[in-house]
Amino acid sequence: MYGRDPWGGPLEINATDSATDDDRSRNLQDLDRAALSRPLDETQQSWLLGPGEQKKKKKYVDLGCIIVSRKIFVWTVGTLLVSALLAGLITLIVKTVPRHHHRHSPPDNYTLALHKALMFFNAQRSGKLPKHNNVSWRGNSGLQDGKSDPSVLMKDLVGGYYDAGDAIKFNFPASFSMTMLSWSVIEYSAKYEAAGELNHVKEIIKWGTDYLLKTFNNTADTIDRIAAQVGIGDTSGGSSAPNDHYCWMRPEDIDYPRPVYECHSCSDLAAEMAAALASASIVFKDNKAYSQKLVHGARTLFKFARDQRGRYSAGGSDPALFYNSSSYWDEFVWGGAWLYYATGNSSYLQLATHPKLAKHAGAFWGGPDYGVLSWDNKLAGAQVLLSRLRLFLSPGYPYEEILSTFHNQTSIIMCSFLPVFTSFNRTKGGLIQLNHGRPQPLQYVVNAAFLAALYSDYLDAADTPGWYCGPNFYSTDVLREFAKTQIDYILGKNPRKLSYVVGFGNHYPKHVHHRGASIPKNKIKYNCKGGWKWRDTSKPNPNTLVGAMVAGPDKHDGFRDVRTNYNYTEPTLAGNAGLVAALVALSGDKATGIDKNTIFSAVPPMFPTPPPPPAPWKP
C-alpha cells in the first residue's frame, strides 16, 4: 500500500508485515543498539539527550599552532601572571623606598694626582691665555716677546711655557717636556680617556708645539737658526740690570726688555725639538694638516741638527748657566727614533741604530749617570723606545744586532732600579738617589718610574712574564712595584708625611719658589724690586700652584719649605712632565695596558733584508 509522504514522495507501507507489536519493539531495540554503536557528534547527542548532564571538561587546549595540556596551559599562564605581579611589586618597592646610592669606586691616588699635575702646565702658560685656563690668578703675559728684540729674525715669540718659578722660556727643557707628554699619550691614551684628561693633555701639548713652530722658519726645508730662549737670568758679577731672575714680578707685570737668544749651531736643541714635533705628530695623527705640519718641522730641525754640529749651550752662553747640554749624540738617537715612528722612513731608523752614534751617546760605557733619563740625557729613553720596536715588530737584519744590544741595556737599566742592587743609593725613607745626593732629585725619579712602569707594560703586552738580571729572573710586577714606591714617596708616603705635589693631600709645600704664585693678584703692580718683599716673606703663597712637583728633599729625606731655597721648593716643566707620564702609567686598571699599535701608524710593513751572501769559497 502506498500512502502519501508529506514531503512529496511516495511512502510505502508494508501491509504484508504480520509482525506483532512485540516483534516490532524488539526490532527497534536492535536498530537502536546498532545506531548507538556509532559515535554521535555533539548535535546528535543534544537531540537524543537534551540539556541533561553537563559534558566533561576537555583535557587539551588548541592554541592554533600547537595543542597543549590544559593543566600545563593553566599553570603557565598562572605563573606568568604571578611573576608579573611580583615584578611590579618589587619595582614599586625599589622606586618608593629610600636607599643609599652605590657609587663607582673612587679614583686611585695616581688618577687624583694626575688631574692636579696637569694643572701646573695651565699655570705656566705664557701669551694670551684661553678663557678656560682655570687658573684664576694668571692672566695674559709676554705679549711683546720677540717684538722687543730688533736683532732677531723671528718677531712673534708669543706663547709657550715659562720654565719654572721665573718667566724665562727655555726651548731645551720645554721640548723634552712635550716629548715626554706625547710619549705618555701615545702609550696610554685609553687611561687618559678614562681619567677624563685626554683632551686636556692634548691641548697642553699643542700649546707647546705651536710655540716651538714659531721659533724657526717651519715652512722652509733648510734653516740656519733657532730662537732658543726668551728672557735671561744671569745675575752673576753683581749686575742689577732688570732681568727674569733679578726681578721678582708677576709675568703679567713685566716691563723690562726680554732679549731673545738665537743659536746657529745647536744640534742638541734642534734634535730635541724634532723629537717633540715628531712625537706630537703621532698624538695628532687624526688632524692630518697639523700632523703633517709637525712632521715637516721635525724633518727641517733634524736636518739642521745634523748639518750644523754644535752644542746650543756652548761658550758660556746664558743657557749654559741653567740648562747646559753635555752632548748632542743622545738627541741624535732619540730624535732619529721619533722621526722614524712619525714618518716610517727607514733612513731615520738606520741613523738611530748606527753603532757609532750609540757609542758616542755612551751606550757602551757606564758612568755614574748611566740609565738616568733627564732633560740632558735621553739615551735611556731612546733605548726603551727602540726596544719596543724589537719586542713588537722584530725587524731583523740589519737592525737586530744593535736593537738586541739596546734591549739588553734596557734590561740592565731596569735591574739598576731594583733595591736588591746597589747601582744607586736610597734614602732611609726609600727614595732612589739617581742624582747621587745632589739637589733637586725628584725630576729624575719620576722619569725612572715612568720607564719602569712602561717597560713592565711592554713585557706584559709581549706575553713575557719578566726579565733576567744576571742569573736571576724578576717578574714584571717587581718593576711596577718600584715605580709605585717612588711615586708613593712623592705623594706623601715618606718620613715627613709630606706630599711634594702642591695641592695633593693635606700636607704639602706652601712656600713654592714661584713668582706668580707668591704675589697676590690685587691690582697692584709691584716693580722689579718691589716684589722682593713677597719673595722674602715667611707667609705662605697667596696663590696655590696646583699640581706643581717641587724640586724635592735632600739625601737625608730632609726638606725646607723656604721660598728662597729653589733647590727644595722650585718646580719645573721637565719635572712635571715626567710626573704626569709616571702617574698615567700607574693610574686606573693595570689590565688596560699600553696601546701597542698607534706608535707604528706610519711604519710600513717590515720585511727583513736578507743578509749579504757569504764570500766566494776558495780552495
Side-chain angles (χ1 to χ4, degrees):
M1 178 187 294
Y2 293 90
R4 183 159 182 86
D5 185 331
W7 289 278
L11 177 63
E12 181 178 357
I13 300 173
N14 190 1
T16 62
D17 187 359
S18 61
T20 63
D21 290 340
D22 291 336
D23 291 332
R24 274 198 295 274
S25 178
R26 278 196 300 272
N27 290 339
L28 282 171
Q29 287 175 4
D30 291 336
L31 285 170
D32 286 344
R33 278 197 296 272
L36 290 173
S37 67
R38 298 193 310 272
L40 302 177
D41 61 25
E42 289 182 2
T43 305
Q44 291 170 327
Q45 289 180 26
S46 67
W47 288 348
L48 291 171
L49 302 174
E53 63 182 85
Q54 302 222 345
K55 61 182 186 289
K56 293 181 179 179
K57 290 183 180 178
K58 292 193 294 182
K59 293 182 179 180
Y60 299 97
V61 177
D62 188 350
L63 297 177
C65 54
I66 57 171
I67 297 174
V68 296
S69 164
R70 174 177 289 275
K71 186 180 290 185
I72 293 174
F73 178 74
V74 170
W75 270 103
T76 304
V77 172
T79 303
L80 289 173
L81 287 172
V82 171
S83 300
L85 187 64
L86 283 173
L89 191 62
I90 291 168
T91 304
L92 187 65
I93 292 170
V94 168
K95 292 284 186 185
T96 56
V97 174
R99 68 193 188 280
H100 296 290
H101 292 278
H102 291 288
R103 297 177 182 175
H104 294 293
S105 56
D108 55 82
N109 276 349
Y110 307 121
T111 303
L112 292 173
L114 176 66
H115 296 312
K116 297 184 182 297
L118 286 167
M119 283 302 299
F120 172 72
F121 292 90
N122 292 39
Q124 295 302 103
R125 280 178 173 158
S126 178
K128 186 173 175 57
L129 301 184
K131 290 181 180 179
H132 58 275
N133 197 50
N134 294 333
V135 182
S136 61
W137 46 272
R138 282 302 322 279
N140 299 335
S141 63
L143 300 181
Q144 297 301 311
D145 284 354
K147 301 182 184 72
S148 61
D149 190 336
S151 65
V152 298
L153 184 65
M154 273 63 72
K155 296 299 182 187
D156 178 13
L157 294 175
V158 176
Y161 291 100
Y162 299 124
D163 173 65
D166 48 40
I168 303 178
K169 296 190 290 196
F170 292 104
N171 278 22
F172 194 49
S175 300
F176 174 70
S177 304
M178 295 305 108
T179 310
M180 289 293 285
L181 289 179
S182 293
W183 192 4
S184 71
V185 172
I186 292 165
E187 302 286 12
Y188 296 110
S189 60
K191 288 191 172 188
Y192 275 114
E193 185 79 64
E197 291 287 2
L198 183 58
N199 290 334
H200 186 198
V201 71
K202 289 173 75 172
E203 185 185 312
I204 288 169
I205 294 167
K206 190 172 187 297
W207 190 270
T209 53
D210 281 351
Y211 174 73
L212 292 177
L213 288 168
K214 288 182 173 186
T215 61
F216 68 101
N217 185 358
N218 67 75
T219 59
D221 293 330
T222 304
I223 58 173
D224 65 353
R225 72 187 70 194
I226 296 173
Q229 177 180 321
V230 177
I232 57 173
D234 185 4
T235 57
S236 61
S239 172
S240 60
N243 70 22
D244 290 288
H245 277 182
Y246 181 77
C247 298
W248 194 270
M249 301 174 69
R250 296 178 70 242
E252 293 80 359
D253 296 335
I254 289 174
D255 54 6
Y256 51 79
R258 283 163 57 80
V260 176
Y261 171 67
E262 283 187 338
C263 66
H264 298 266
S265 178
C266 37
S267 300
D268 35 20
L269 172 61
E272 181 54 67
M273 288 172 64
L277 299 188
S279 56
S281 76
I282 303 172
V283 171
F284 295 105
K285 67 184 179 65
D286 294 334
N287 183 347
K288 194 171 182 182
Y290 189 62
S291 182
Q292 288 177 342
K293 186 177 184 179
L294 293 171
V295 168
H296 182 268
R299 288 179 183 272
T300 300
L301 286 164
F302 202 70
K303 182 178 185 299
F304 173 60
R306 297 285 294 158
D307 292 345
Q308 302 293 327
R309 301 289 179 91
R311 290 188 303 120
Y312 95 108
S313 57
S317 58
D318 197 75
L321 299 174
F322 308 103
Y323 287 101
N324 184 41
S325 172
S326 54
S327 83
Y328 49 73
W329 298 104
D330 53 310
E331 279 85 16
F332 280 169
V333 181
W334 177 244
W338 278 116
L339 268 162
Y340 172 67
Y341 285 136
T343 65
N345 187 329
S346 60
S347 65
Y348 291 116
L349 181 60
Q350 289 166 12
L351 183 70
T353 56
H354 199 288
K356 285 188 178 178
L357 229 61
K359 180 182 177 181
H360 288 310
F364 304 111
W365 57 276
D369 297 324
Y370 184 80
V372 180
L373 175 62
S374 72
W375 54 262
D376 180 34
N377 191 348
K378 288 84 182 192
L379 178 63
Q383 287 166 324
V384 173
L385 191 62
L386 289 167
S387 295
R388 189 193 209 287
L389 183 66
R390 183 173 187 257
L391 278 167
F392 298 119
L393 291 191
S394 190
Y397 182 86
Y399 310 109
E400 171 59 22
E401 186 175 353
I402 190 69
L403 289 180
S404 174
T405 300
F406 283 155
H407 195 171
N408 290 336
Q409 290 168 342
T410 297
S411 296
I412 293 168
I413 291 168
M414 296 301 153
C415 297
S416 74
F417 294 157
L418 303 185
V420 294
F421 300 102
T422 56
S423 306
F424 300 101
N425 293 329
R426 277 170 165 73
T427 67
K428 288 183 179 179
L431 185 71
I432 191 169
Q433 295 290 284
L434 294 167
N435 64 339
H436 304 288
R438 296 190 294 268
Q440 307 173 24
L442 296 187
Q443 59 180 312
Y444 309 102
V445 173
V446 290
N447 290 341
F450 171 62
L451 291 186
L454 179 63
Y455 190 63
S456 169
D457 285 340
Y458 282 176
L459 294 178
D460 286 341
D463 294 324
T464 306
W467 85 111
Y468 281 96
C469 297
N472 301 315
F473 184 82
Y474 292 92
S475 79
T476 56
D477 292 337
V478 175
L479 271 183
R480 199 169 187 83
E481 189 58 29
F482 159 74
K484 283 185 174 182
T485 57
Q486 298 306 301
I487 298 301
D488 288 348
Y489 181 104
I490 292 169
L491 296 181
K493 200 172 181 181
N494 55 61
R496 300 182 68 87
K497 301 293 186 286
L498 177 72
S499 165
Y500 292 106
V501 177
V502 176
F504 183 84
N506 298 321
H507 187 35
Y508 51 82
K510 302 293 197 297
H511 303 79
V512 181
H513 182 96
H514 192 274
R515 285 160 176 77
S518 66
I519 301 174
K521 184 182 179 183
N522 55 8
K523 298 184 179 179
I524 299 175
K525 180 179 177 179
Y526 299 94
N527 62 22
C528 178
K529 293 184 180 180
W532 286 6
K533 71 173 184 178
W534 298 108
R535 177 193 66 190
D536 300 332
T537 181
S538 60
K539 293 180 180 178
N541 287 351
N543 306 310
T544 303
L545 187 61
V546 174
M549 183 184 75
V550 296
D554 58 31
K555 59 185 177 182
H556 304 295
D557 297 306
F559 182 81
R560 295 183 63 210
D561 189 6
V562 177
R563 192 177 294 106
T564 51
N565 195 330
Y566 56 84
N567 279 333
Y568 286 114
T569 58
E570 187 170 25
T572 63
L573 278 182
N576 256 71
L579 173 66
V580 165
L583 287 171
V584 75
L586 293 173
S587 70
D589 185 5
K590 177 181 179 289
T592 304
I594 58 159
D595 179 340
K596 284 173 65 173
N597 301 316
T598 294
I599 201 169
F600 300 128
S601 299
V603 176
M606 304 193 79
F607 302 102
T609 306
W617 183 81
K618 291 181 180 179

